[in-house]
Amino acid sequence: MSVATDVFSTTMPRHIAIIMDGNGRWAQKRFMPRAIGHRAGVKSVRKVVEYCAQNKVEVLTLFAFSSENWRRPESEVNLLMALFMSSLQREINRLDERNVCLRFIGDRSAFSRKLQDKMREAEQKTQFNTALTLVVAVNYGGRWDLCQAAQKVIDKMAQGTLEKQPITEELINAHLSTAGLPEPDLFIRTGGEQRVSNFMLWQLAYTEMYFTFTLWPDFDRRSLEEAVKSFKGRQRRFGHTGEQVLNKTVTL
Ligand code: IPE
Ligand code: IPE
Ligand code: MG
């Protein structure tokens, strides 16, 4: 009989996707404005990126601004945009030095021309970097992603650049904003809420979910290690039985 450790995935997740939640509550707990929480959250981003680059995680996706976050007070939306812009300007050289490839997913058309240019520049500057792909989801929604993929397929078929064919999972995958990336292995949501909030709806189909009460600005290396430890202790089955996985009669 196989030993129990065979059951567990001992490998690092290839792709970690994080909903960075709890900045506002972190600040409010300290009787400070929400803005301070968002600023403090940037430090956690640095720590998590560093950990992933050092531990050979291939892809890290961070949900920074959802397609629904426009519903927040205008002052908070403006602050988040300004913070996004300044962080991008400040961090890009450091990321490039660390060999991190930056990629943005989400509907950019809502952003200022200047911010869109900065995003494109950052992507171009880091496009050949290989230590880690850092995907930042901004003005991103899982439903938006599916709609834009379907639209792209329809447009290509109408223009004749894509042969008329049945819709398959592969076809959708190839037109999602995450095309070419492995699906997330580990999903983390900080801040205590146990919901997906319109993040990567399609891509999370077989992702291992991890929820923690830790607020995003408090999330550090050790918190991430805890999440990875939890991931490593799980048996992923993808529809097979536990025995099939255990006896390695199937490839996952
Ligand atoms: C997450 O923190 C950051 C963004 C959504 C941009 P929140 O701002 O949602 O923090 P809470 O959930 O109000 O504490
Ligand atoms: C999800 O957090 C979006 C990001 C972290 C960017 P929210 O704070 O917006 O989610 P809800 O509104 O509590 O579901
Ligand atoms: Mg929140």
Side-chain angles (χ1 to χ4, degrees), residues 19-25 34 38 69 72 189-191 193 195 197:
I19 298 190
M20 311 182 286
D21 197 18
N23 292 349
R25 279 165 286 166
R34 294 174 59 86
H38 293 311
N69 286 146
R72 294 190 176 200
R189 182 170 188 148
T190 62
E193 312 301 345
R195 52 177 175 253
S197 299

Side-chain angles (χ1 to χ4, degrees), residues 14 22 27 35 37-38 56-57 61 84 97 107 136 139 149 157 160 165 170 190-191 193 195 198 207 238 243 249 252:
R14 286 179 71 192
H38 293 311
K56 304 218 171 349
V57 172
T61 300
F84 180 39
E97 278 161 23
D107 182 3
V136 182
N139 193 19
M157 283 186 185
Q165 58 190 285
E170 288 70 32
T190 62
E193 312 301 345
R195 52 177 175 253
N198 199 15
T207 304
F238 299 96
E243 285 71 27
T249 55
L252 301 178

Side-chain angles (χ1 to χ4, degrees), residues 114-132:
K114 196 170 165 213
L115 190 48
Q116 289 187 47
D117 288 347
K118 285 275 165 241
M119 289 161 76
R120 209 184 33 250
E121 272 170 39
E123 284 178 328
Q124 277 167 359
K125 189 179 167 85
T126 61
Q127 64 183 320
F128 300 116
N129 290 348
T130 53
L132 169 75

Side-chain angles (χ1 to χ4, degrees), residues 204-240:
L204 292 174
Y206 264 104
T207 304
E208 295 298 326
M209 312 297 270
Y210 180 88
F211 297 95
T212 171
F213 283 101
T214 304
L215 303 170
W216 178 248
D218 291 328
F219 194 84
D220 59 11
R221 247 189 122 81
R222 277 205 32 215
S223 324
L224 184 51
E225 274 165 2
E226 273 297 305
V228 168
K229 195 172 148 214
S230 164
F231 171 81
K232 286 183 174 175
R234 299 182 191 192
Q235 185 191 50
R236 303 184 79 187
R237 298 190 199 102
F238 299 96
H240 299 290

